[in-house]
Amino acid sequence: MAHDEPLHRSLIRDTTAYFSYLLFVTTLGPFQFGFHLAELNAPQDVLTCKKTHLEQSALSTSLPHCIAMNTTQFSVVTSVFTLGGLIGALSAGPSCNRYGRLLTMRTTTVSFVVGSAIETFASNIAMLCFGRLIAGLGCGAAIVVVPIYIAETAPPKEKGLFGAFTQISICLGILVTQLLGYFLSKGNLWRIILAVAGVVGLMQLAGLTLVSESPKWLAEHKSPQHARHILQKIRGHKADVDAEVKAWNIDATADDISEEEALLSAPPGSHPAPNPKAATQSIGIWEAFVHPAYRPAIIAVVAVMFTQQLTGINSIVMYSVSLLTSILPTTASLLIVAVSALNVVVTAVCAPLSDKIGRKTCILISIAGMGTCSLLLAFGLFFGVKILAAVATLVFVASFAFGLGPVPFILANELVGPEAVGATQSCGLAANWIATFLVSQFFPIVDKALGGHGKVYFIFAGFAVLSGSFIAYWVPETKGKYGMEEVWGKREARERME
């Protein structure tokens, strides 16, 4: 039976070279999110002039070697990135619904290039903040639109697996910037770290010229026949796409052969004229929230996105070097590189699990692991037990990668219909950015107010208990279910039809 087909065989059959290209180019957006999120972690002391005794770099430039900041100022520089992300996330949903997934991704890529350039040549706190704000705009939009695009182009049986590539790319971005930070946190070489993001942005901008629009969006807003052609190109010329086309609930057949021939010659990313027979109406954020059929899904996605951040993962990503230096003065930076590498490996290895044991199960196991490790990390830092703190940090990140890292990004597409997925994803990612801001801005302040020594992780453990309980009660399982009617049950389906 096809249901029992081994994963590697279905991947070989369903994954074409063109889809692999689409996946690589589009996930450079989430890569930028991870990169910018962690870019100031390793070089923090050098950047803020706390380690002015370090050797000067070979970079010949009139720019200052460092920008003097205190803890509060550095928190502002770090957290302003999340403000840009919040704005980008809120605007990306309506934008990708109205103008398409592809145009939105191209716009976000411009933000990566411009923001990174401003950061690289910053000579004061204001310029550094402005650059991170612009980069944040692109990152916020990218982690809204890219998961939607992947969900709409991935083979149906492997949506969970390929949906995890958003988080895998974020983890890779974190790993690359931590590696660069390990070797370049000296003199003014930290500017190279910031410049790399701009180079990646230029690569993505070039790569997007060969990327096609989402076939599902085309079917909803433009030409169903063109959408079918694009889907066939993504799946391969011999693939049977009838079932996927039928799931659009739009007539994608046409008798006009000349139109089909014109579409076959259309370049990647081109849009045909709007089709009056195609669906054109999408749901806005406020309209989705007040609608009784969509509100439960928005609450579910927002709750999971808040949990993703308020369980403390970015305290490790953003502040782990300074946090662990007190008990691991010589190995903290190297440990964080290992943690980042582990994050990539575990996320990749566990990616198929959401398709096997379920989205909700992965999330709950992940929360339980993070909550437990928060307690262990708190005790390890408080009592100065180095091995306990190191192991707890590693398992904490591995637990996050198991489910709470990758799964939240694919939920919006499975909890609502296509007309509301942009609004739902924007709400969820806005919540994610607000939570990220709270952690990035107030973690060092709260940690200092509590006297340090890891006591802040007791707060993260408490939140894991509360959020895990709510998710277990409220969020439905979406594995193996098609459409919001099946996910939420017949009552919500009737409400939607009324």
Side-chain angles (χ1 to χ4, degrees):
M1 293 179 63
H3 179 72
D4 299 320
E5 185 179 23
L7 177 63
H8 69 278
R9 290 185 180 177
S10 64
L11 283 176
I12 292 173
R13 185 193 67 244
D14 296 338
T15 307
T16 62
Y18 186 57
F19 173 71
S20 299
Y21 175 81
L22 299 182
L23 191 68
F24 171 75
V25 173
T26 57
T27 53
L28 288 177
F31 175 92
Q32 292 271 9
F33 170 60
F35 192 99
H36 285 286
L37 197 66
E39 65 187 354
L40 304 184
N41 185 8
Q44 176 181 347
D45 287 346
V46 176
L47 170 62
T48 59
C49 303
K50 290 182 180 178
K51 289 188 176 180
T52 54
H53 63 280
L54 292 180
E55 61 182 281
Q56 298 299 304
S57 71
L59 284 180
S60 178
T61 174
S62 60
L63 295 170
H65 282 271
C66 61
I67 302 173
M69 302 179 224
N70 57 35
T71 300
T72 301
Q73 289 171 324
F74 183 76
S75 296
V76 171
V77 171
T78 301
S79 61
V80 73
F81 170 71
T82 65
L83 176 59
L86 174 61
I87 298 170
L90 288 173
S91 61
S95 173
C96 73
N97 276 343
R98 183 173 182 179
Y99 302 109
R101 316 325 190 194
L102 182 58
L103 182 59
T104 303
M105 286 190 287
R106 287 172 175 168
T107 304
T108 65
T109 307
V110 174
S111 297
F112 298 146
V113 177
V114 174
S116 299
I118 295 172
E119 287 185 66
T120 302
F121 295 101
S123 58
N124 53 56
I125 295 175
M127 281 188 68
L128 193 58
C129 282
F130 185 62
R132 283 182 60 78
L133 179 70
I134 299 299
L137 287 171
C139 291
I143 60 171
V144 169
V145 66
V146 172
I148 295 175
Y149 184 86
I150 293 174
E152 293 176 347
T153 55
K157 292 182 180 179
E158 292 89 28
K159 283 187 183 294
L161 171 64
F162 289 114
F165 273 71
T166 297
Q167 183 62 26
I168 291 173
S169 297
I170 293 172
C171 296
L172 281 170
I174 294 171
L175 174 60
V176 170
T177 194
Q178 300 287 22
L179 277 171
L180 291 172
Y182 183 74
F183 293 105
L184 299 177
S185 294
K186 62 182 78 172
N188 64 355
L189 290 180
W190 55 268
R191 293 184 184 275
I192 297 177
I193 303 173
L194 307 183
V196 167
V199 175
V200 174
L202 289 172
M203 291 171 54
Q204 185 183 16
L205 192 60
L208 284 172
T209 59
L210 299 178
V211 169
S212 297
E213 180 58 87
S214 158
K216 191 171 184 179
W217 185 87
L218 284 173
E220 290 278 333
H221 296 80
K222 297 286 184 176
S223 167
Q225 189 178 2
H226 188 208
R228 183 188 180 97
H229 166 64
I230 295 298
L231 181 64
Q232 192 74 65
K233 181 180 180 180
I234 294 172
R235 295 286 177 266
H237 295 297
K238 296 182 180 180
D240 184 0
V241 298
D242 288 343
E244 286 188 72
V245 172
K246 186 178 180 181
W248 294 341
N249 293 321
I250 297 171
D251 183 13
T253 62
D255 297 326
D256 191 349
I257 304 300
S258 62
E259 179 188 356
E260 182 175 359
E261 291 175 349
L263 290 172
L264 289 174
S265 62
S270 63
H271 284 179
N275 186 339
K277 295 181 180 180
T280 57
Q281 188 170 4
S282 59
I283 304 296
I285 293 175
W286 178 250
E287 188 179 358
F289 183 77
V290 299
H291 198 294
Y294 303 121
R295 192 187 307 119
I298 291 179
I299 293 173
V301 173
V302 167
V304 173
M305 287 295 186
F306 261 124
T307 302
Q308 187 191 60
Q309 298 303 322
L310 293 183
T311 43
I313 185 62
N314 278 329
S315 67
I316 301 296
V317 173
M318 294 179 171
Y319 297 109
S320 51
V321 173
S322 59
L323 179 73
L324 296 172
T325 297
S326 60
I327 64 170
L328 299 167
T330 59
T331 58
S333 296
L334 189 59
L335 175 63
I336 298 311
V337 172
V339 166
S340 301
L342 178 68
N343 198 6
V344 174
V345 173
V346 175
T347 302
V349 170
C350 294
L353 288 180
S354 67
D355 286 326
K356 294 183 178 297
I357 67 175
R359 289 35 162 165
K360 184 175 180 177
T361 303
C362 286
I363 289 174
L364 292 177
I365 293 174
S366 184
I367 294 172
M370 293 181 73
T372 302
C373 289
S374 290
L375 291 175
L376 296 177
L377 182 55
F379 286 124
L381 292 172
F382 185 78
F383 293 108
V385 184
K386 298 180 180 180
I387 186 64
L388 179 60
V391 171
T393 301
L394 291 168
V395 181
F396 180 90
V397 173
S399 298
F400 175 80
F402 182 86
L404 202 52
V407 175
F409 294 106
I410 65 176
L411 283 181
N413 207 274
E414 298 178 336
L415 291 174
V416 296
E419 71 282 356
V421 68
T424 304
Q425 190 82 318
S426 280
C427 287
L429 269 301
N432 189 288
W433 281 105
I434 291 171
T436 302
F437 168 79
L438 293 174
V439 173
S440 61
Q441 176 65 39
F442 295 108
F443 173 79
I445 298 172
V446 173
D447 183 50
K448 184 177 180 180
L450 293 176
H453 303 292
K455 285 180 281 188
V456 67
Y457 282 94
F458 288 117
I459 297 176
F460 290 134
F463 189 81
V465 173
L466 293 175
S467 60
S469 301
F470 180 79
I471 289 171
Y473 167 74
W474 186 268
V475 179
E477 179 56 71
T478 62
K479 171 183 171 289
K481 298 178 181 179
Y482 299 92
M484 65 175 289
E485 290 84 0
E486 187 176 353
V487 169
W488 292 103
K490 295 181 179 180
R491 179 175 63 83
E492 287 80 0
R494 286 197 301 270
E495 290 176 348
R496 186 184 176 207
M497 296 298 294
E498 291 176 354

